[in-house]
Amino acid sequence: MKLYAQHGWGKGDKIARGLDEHVVSGVILSPHDETPPDMESYVSKLAQATGGPDLLFDPQLYVSLIRNAAEGKLPQYNYYRQNLGLRDFTALRNVQQIVKESIDFQKNLELSHILSPTICAESFTDRSAQVALTLAEESIEYWNGIDDDRPLLVSFVFAEFALAHNQQVSDFLDTISLLEADGFYLLVDRNSPGYSQDFESTRLAQMLRIIYSLKRSRFEIVCGYSDFTNVLYSAVNADAGATGWTQKLKRFNRGRFQPSAGGRRPRDRYSSSKLINSIYITELDSCQDVQRLRAVKSNTPYDRSFDGQSYPSGVSWSSEDAALHHWASISQILERVNQPTVRGRLEEISQRISTAQELYRDLTRLGVTFEPPNGAAHLENWAEGIAMLLRELRI
Amino acid sequence: MILPVPFLAGIQQANAGLAVVGPIRSGGQKSVWRVTYQGQTYALKILVANAEAAERAKREINIMTVCNCPRLVRFGPLPLQEIDVAGIKYLYYLEEFIDGIAMDVHAKPISFSLCRTLGLHICDAIDHLWRNGKVHRDIKPGNIMKRAVDNSFVLLDIGLALDLSGASLTAAGGVVGTPQYLSPDQIKLVNARRDLDFRSDLHALGVVMYECLTGVHPLWNPRVPQMNITGNILTLRPLPLRDFRNDTPVALEDIVLRLLEKEANLRHARIQHLVEELGAVVLP
């Protein structure tokens, strides 16, 4: 599975270095955070990177339907419409125009894939889902009429709550698996904006089922804002997942596109492939205190600074270093989960989850405490999600 | 029900040159006869006339005319006609005569190679139907003939096919098809009114292939609960084929079990993918 950089505000040299140093192999670009001319030149620059990275452009049309959205640079794009409501998609002519303009914009960039515009579906059965399907169908029809070999990925953004309805997920899959697209770009609009790896087990199992089913039908699957859950998505054959450097680029929530309430700068974090989680640097200090730094460290090339000579929080740790380290830590797990079958990979990840849980227990026994999102709670849900999937499907 | 010979005499009288050779099969309101007409052999299909039979016959003829596929039975040179015998009306028409054996009476298990051929040929038939907006809805061994001349397969009895662009031919409140060969989708359609697609036919093909390879029905055999065929279709996971035939190639077993998935989205989303997988199976 490939890991992509989820582009956003404050990119600096993070993405360029990530590509150069092979910790990411592609980028999902965000027009919210670049003006059209800057986007065009940035894509051209990225396309020259060694190895020809995968470059995808998320049109982010869904932002227009978010109440009081902070739309950033999006209104500067000609395909984007402000303050859209579902009623604006009633006329097929409007849908076709939006589709045409958003695909035409991408067509002229040096992208590896084309992404269809979409809106966020609150459930798999309501009107927003119907509009999303119409946008998908119109995008396929429009792209099929263009002489261009690049794959079209149909975008779907759905609320996490939608995953709670097993039958609706099945019906939705029955429908979209017949679409004549090359693949799908999938985003889950998480219930809470806070950053954590937690994913309620039944919903996680449904998400894994979606990826598994679509992959069996030979679609290319790219998941956005998928962070550590890429480890699970890789087991069910997702082709690529993405994550970024801020919490809002690691976990998708519509709050990303709402005005910031301000507040202090987020605390520095450390991504541990052993804990399959991101913890505060100060929590890594505590691990060092109990002689467990080596057990928790990811041992990526970016870990050299954490040699145990001084506290991790005392090490110079730029946001760029943190981003590269984060990508490298996730990539490391993705590379090591390499069983040839889906069942084999799910079992391998289950074993890694058990090992991480044991490490958490050991740290807790030694007196290390973690803030709730940085603790082991997600691991139990992940294990249960995997077990549910295995019970439900003939894998 | 074998229809009375005087009835056949009436048809022969009305169509000069048509000669009845003998019966092929009969059942319910329908019988099929081997006949010759204009120097060729055909199957003469005769139905007791009522509104549903007429609709079904028209549908079948329409599909046979539209779908030009060697894996689907072809329409013959006599159009749909009606005859009145002693106050009872009958419909009849000619279709291609398949010289061979129906798979419900064929010895089982069959070879892996023959089963693969069956799978590929019925895929072709399903694909042709789907490209014309149709779902067969009644694929079963009795509706599949193996030609004697070359061991190729032909799908018969398209009269129940669902035309996605037209009105559905459905018994009021009921499910169309043969109970043991219904797909989960056909059963759920009654309650949820979901649209059927070709993946429903793929499920039936999976049942036929399983049955041909093992000699037992995947969802109705002595080793599975036999309380209710509908319940089994909806929930029972079939036993691996190797439980019955331990030399079954893993890849072939995987294909058949995938066809039998309860959810349409877990079956093949493109018939071409299934054709490729069948073609790639390494046979012992």
Side-chain angles (χ1 to χ4, degrees), chain A residues 170-171 173-174 177-180 209 213 216-219 391-394, chain B residues 194 197-199 237 254 257-258 261 263-266 269-270 273 276-277:
Chain A
S170 296
D171 292 348
L173 278 171
D174 286 350
S177 52
L178 288 182
L179 292 176
E180 299 278 346
R209 184 161 75 100
S213 170
R216 281 211 91 183
S217 296
R218 305 195 195 176
F219 290 109
R391 277 198 300 273
E392 194 178 335
L393 298 181
R394 183 184 62 84
Chain B
R194 291 192 295 168
D197 58 58
F198 67 92
R199 293 174 294 188
R237 199 172 282 184
D254 194 50
L257 292 180
R258 185 171 177 198
E261 288 282 5
E263 290 191 24
N265 66 76
L266 290 169
R270 306 273 183 279
H273 294 173
E276 286 167 17
E277 288 176 21

Side-chain angles (χ1 to χ4, degrees), chain A residues 138-164:
Chain A
E138 291 302 322
S139 297
I140 292 165
E141 188 166 340
Y142 182 66
W143 187 243
N144 283 345
I146 294 174
D147 184 20
D148 193 317
D149 289 339
R150 286 177 289 179
L152 172 75
L153 304 188
V154 164
S155 308
F156 281 113
V157 185
F158 39 84
E160 182 183 340
F161 282 123
L163 294 169

Side-chain angles (χ1 to χ4, degrees), chain B residues 198-213:
Chain B
F198 67 92
R199 293 174 294 188
S200 175
D201 283 346
L202 291 187
H203 185 277
L205 173 60
V207 175
V208 171
M209 288 177 74
Y210 191 112
E211 205 171 342
C212 286
L213 285 170

Side-chain angles (χ1 to χ4, degrees), chain A residues 41-93:
Chain A
S41 57
Y42 189 49
V43 171
S44 294
K45 185 181 157 196
L46 290 173
Q48 307 311 315
T50 323
D54 292 344
L55 299 176
L56 295 78
F57 175 93
D58 177 356
Q60 296 175 333
L61 183 70
Y62 46 81
V63 176
S64 183
L65 284 88
I66 296 173
R67 193 168 295 176
N68 302 321
E71 294 173 302
K73 312 288 195 304
L74 279 166
Q76 297 179 41
Y77 288 80
N78 67 340
Y79 68 81
Y80 188 79
R81 315 280 198 276
Q82 289 183 275
N83 301 314
L84 284 174
L86 290 178
R87 66 188 175 285
D88 295 306
F89 296 93
T90 308
L92 192 59
R93 196 176 58 250

Side-chain angles (χ1 to χ4, degrees), chain B:
Chain B
M1 177 188 71
I2 302 290
L3 294 166
V5 175
F7 168 83
L8 290 173
I11 293 176
Q12 287 182 100
Q13 226 169 21
N15 298 278
L18 188 145
V20 176
V21 179
I24 297 174
R25 59 194 151 99
S26 65
Q29 301 289 299
K30 182 175 78 177
S31 71
V32 186
W33 298 79
R34 181 175 178 169
V35 299
T36 57
Y37 182 63
Q38 296 176 341
Q40 299 284 320
T41 304
Y42 294 99
L44 170 67
K45 226 170 185 178
I46 308 169
L47 308 102
V48 176
N50 57 43
E52 188 182 330
E55 178 62 30
R56 191 170 159 167
K58 282 180 199 164
R59 184 177 299 260
E60 184 158 21
I61 290 166
N62 171 264
I63 295 171
M64 284 192 287
T65 310
V66 168
C67 296
N68 182 20
C69 169
R71 311 303 170 204
L72 288 166
V73 66
R74 294 175 198 273
F75 187 49
L78 276 187
L80 182 65
Q81 297 177 65
E82 191 176 282
I83 190 165
D84 192 322
V85 178
I88 302 172
K89 289 182 173 159
Y90 298 93
L91 297 167
Y92 66 93
Y93 58 91
L94 291 186
E95 65 179 34
E96 179 187 6
F97 172 73
I98 311 290
D99 185 12
I101 181 169
M103 292 310 291
D104 57 341
V105 292
H106 193 286
K108 299 182 190 70
I110 64 173
S111 71
F112 298 125
S113 169
L114 189 62
C115 186
R116 171 161 68 184
T117 304
L118 182 152
L120 288 168
H121 289 182
I122 302 305
C123 271
D124 198 10
I126 294 170
D127 191 30
H128 264 82
L129 287 169
W130 179 243
R131 278 195 263 132
N132 285 283
K134 325 276 187 219
V135 182
H136 188 285
R137 296 198 291 184
D138 199 22
I139 293 177
K140 57 183 180 183
N143 280 341
I144 297 174
M145 290 286 292
K146 187 183 83 173
R147 289 184 197 270
V149 64
D150 59 0
N151 282 355
S152 65
F153 293 88
V154 183
L155 183 59
L156 313 178
D157 225 351
I158 319 168
L160 284 183
L162 173 72
D163 184 347
L164 298 175
S165 61
S168 171
L169 182 69
T170 311
V175 179
V176 171
T178 307
Q180 284 176 313
Y181 297 91
L182 292 175
S183 69
D185 327 5
Q186 281 171 285
I187 295 167
K188 289 179 196 164
L189 177 67
V190 174
N191 299 322
R193 298 190 180 282
R194 291 192 295 168
D195 291 333
L196 280 187
D197 58 58
F198 67 92
R199 293 174 294 188
S200 175
D201 283 346
L202 291 187
H203 185 277
L205 173 60
V207 175
V208 171
M209 288 177 74
Y210 191 112
E211 205 171 342
C212 286
L213 285 170
T214 64
V216 299
H217 189 286
L219 305 167
W220 196 254
N221 65 65
R223 292 174 60 178
V224 303
Q226 296 200 8
M227 297 294 287
N228 179 332
I229 183 64
T230 305
N232 284 4
I233 290 169
L234 289 173
T235 60
L236 184 76
R237 199 172 282 184
L239 292 168
L241 282 82
R242 278 172 292 168
D243 282 15
F244 297 95
R245 192 169 174 184
N246 61 15
D247 61 340
T248 308
V250 174
L252 185 58
E253 177 179 80
D254 194 50
I255 289 168
V256 174
L257 292 180
R258 185 171 177 198
L259 292 173
L260 292 170
E261 288 282 5
K262 306 300 179 194
E263 290 191 24
N265 66 76
L266 290 169
R267 295 176 219 135
H268 298 76
R270 306 273 183 279
I271 294 172
Q272 185 54 34
H273 294 173
L274 172 56
V275 168
E276 286 167 17
E277 288 176 21
L278 279 169
V281 172
V282 178
L283 300 177

Side-chain angles (χ1 to χ4, degrees), chain A residues 3-283:
Chain A
L3 184 66
Y4 293 162
Q6 192 85 49
H7 163 252
W9 184 81
K11 64 182 184 298
D13 287 329
K14 298 179 187 78
I15 293 176
R17 276 191 62 194
L19 291 170
D20 279 350
E21 295 169 28
H22 306 292
V23 290
V24 289
S25 51
V27 187
I28 300 175
L29 293 142
S30 162
H32 175 273
D33 302 290
E34 302 283 351
T35 64
D38 286 351
M39 180 62 80
E40 285 171 33
S41 57
Y42 189 49
V43 171
S44 294
K45 185 181 157 196
L46 290 173
Q48 307 311 315
T50 323
D54 292 344
L55 299 176
L56 295 78
F57 175 93
D58 177 356
Q60 296 175 333
L61 183 70
Y62 46 81
V63 176
S64 183
L65 284 88
I66 296 173
R67 193 168 295 176
N68 302 321
E71 294 173 302
K73 312 288 195 304
L74 279 166
Q76 297 179 41
Y77 288 80
N78 67 340
Y79 68 81
Y80 188 79
R81 315 280 198 276
Q82 289 183 275
N83 301 314
L84 284 174
L86 290 178
R87 66 188 175 285
D88 295 306
F89 296 93
T90 308
L92 192 59
R93 196 176 58 250
N94 289 349
V95 175
Q96 289 168 335
Q97 191 61 24
I98 289 170
V99 162
K100 179 183 183 311
E101 289 175 11
S102 33
I103 289 181
D104 283 350
F105 179 82
Q106 296 178 64
K107 192 178 66 178
N108 299 322
L109 300 178
E110 294 175 67
L111 300 166
S112 59
H113 299 66
I114 304 297
L115 299 188
S116 71
T118 193
I119 65 167
C120 182
E122 301 300 330
S123 80
F124 290 119
T125 54
D126 73 0
R127 200 162 150 232
S128 56
Q130 286 305 314
V131 170
L133 270 175
T134 306
L135 282 161
E137 286 163 352
E138 291 302 322
S139 297
I140 292 165
E141 188 166 340
Y142 182 66
W143 187 243
N144 283 345
I146 294 174
D147 184 20
D148 193 317
D149 289 339
R150 286 177 289 179
L152 172 75
L153 304 188
V154 164
S155 308
F156 281 113
V157 185
F158 39 84
E160 182 183 340
F161 282 123
L163 294 169
H165 303 281
N166 193 334
Q167 188 57 52
Q168 290 180 11
V169 171
S170 296
D171 292 348
F172 184 70
L173 278 171
D174 286 350
T175 302
I176 67 170
S177 52
L178 288 182
L179 292 176
E180 299 278 346
D182 297 295
F184 294 93
Y185 173 56
L186 303 175
L187 300 183
V188 183
D189 181 14
R190 304 303 303 274
N191 291 342
S192 64
Y195 177 54
S196 82
Q197 311 309 326
D198 205 13
F199 207 140
E200 194 273 325
S201 55
T202 54
R203 295 171 196 166
L204 173 61
Q206 293 306 316
M207 185 60 193
L208 296 177
R209 184 161 75 100
I210 288 172
I211 297 169
Y212 174 79
S213 170
L214 294 175
K215 262 321 279 185
R216 281 211 91 183
S217 296
R218 305 195 195 176
F219 290 109
E220 182 173 355
I221 303 296
V222 177
C223 301
Y225 303 83
S226 35
D227 207 48
F228 272 102
T229 50
N230 282 322
V231 174
L232 297 164
Y233 297 168
S234 75
V236 285
N237 283 334
D239 294 279
T243 188
W245 47 90
T246 66
Q247 296 180 24
K248 287 180 174 181
L249 296 176
K250 291 175 179 172
R251 179 179 161 107
F252 186 83
N253 173 268
R254 64 189 70 188
R256 154 156 161 64
F257 300 101
Q258 284 171 327
S260 168
R264 62 191 169 86
R265 180 178 169 272
R267 294 162 68 182
D268 287 339
R269 288 185 161 272
Y270 177 87
S271 300
S272 168
S273 57
K274 308 282 181 52
L275 294 172
I276 324 179
N277 205 353
S278 165
I279 61 174
Y280 291 134
I281 282 279
T282 49
E283 291 167 339

